[in-house]
């Protein structure tokens, strides 16, 4: 059986709680909730070594999330904005782009 992917649900909004409810039944997910207002939030995110962090993009982005992304090898940040019905995905995975074909692959098949 594959190792469960650790998904951190970052924040206390009702929207994040709804996402947690939807993901609860999925196999191979280890869901962890982190309070974004906690003074230990940054430390908790670093210690959890998440595969993915889902946050409410309609609230202010903590200043430590992007540096955390840059220092991680395989982290994916997903900012979900309920007011715009959209999501923004940031990935630390840096594909090797040496040709226009490589660039097209990244654009067409992220």
């Amino acid at each position: 059986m594959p190792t469960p992917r650790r998904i951190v649900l970052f924040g206390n909004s009702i929207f994040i709680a709804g996402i947690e409810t939807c993901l609860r039944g999925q196999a191979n997910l280890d869901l962890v909730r982190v309070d974004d207002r906690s003074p230990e939030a940054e430390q908790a995110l670093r210690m959890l070594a998440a595969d993915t962090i889902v946050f409410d993009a309609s609230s202010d982005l903590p200043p430590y999330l992007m540096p955390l992304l840059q220092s991680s090898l395989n982290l994916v940040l997903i900012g979900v904005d309920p007011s715009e019905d959209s999501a923004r995905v940031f990935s630390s995975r840096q594909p090797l782009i040496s040709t226009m074909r490589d660039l097209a692959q990244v654009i067409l098949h992220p």
Side-chain angles (χ1 to χ4, degrees):
M1 182 154 84
T3 304
R5 294 184 50 76
R6 175 158 293 155
I7 311 299
V8 172
L9 300 156
F10 187 63
N12 289 315
S13 72
I14 197 83
F15 189 63
I16 292 295
I19 292 171
E20 180 178 21
T21 299
C22 289
L23 294 176
R24 271 280 169 230
Q26 300 294 317
N28 290 330
L29 293 184
D30 173 22
L31 299 177
V32 179
R33 180 80 81 87
V34 172
D35 183 350
D36 60 339
R37 296 171 293 172
S38 167
E40 293 86 25
E42 179 180 6
Q43 181 181 359
L45 290 177
R46 291 186 185 283
M47 289 178 54
L48 286 168
D51 295 298
T52 303
I53 298 172
V54 180
F55 64 95
D56 185 341
S58 65
S59 58
D60 291 334
L61 184 69
Y64 51 81
L65 274 186
M66 292 312 274
L68 179 63
L69 176 70
Q70 293 169 339
S71 68
S72 300
L73 292 177
N74 292 307
L75 179 62
V76 175
L77 293 178
I78 302 174
V80 185
D81 189 340
S83 65
E84 293 183 10
D85 196 25
S86 66
R88 290 181 180 83
V89 179
F90 304 94
S91 174
S92 63
R93 298 180 192 119
Q94 298 299 315
L96 179 60
I97 299 174
S98 56
T99 67
M100 290 306 290
R101 183 181 177 109
D102 294 338
L103 178 60
Q105 287 296 329
V106 170
I107 293 169
L108 297 172
H109 307 284

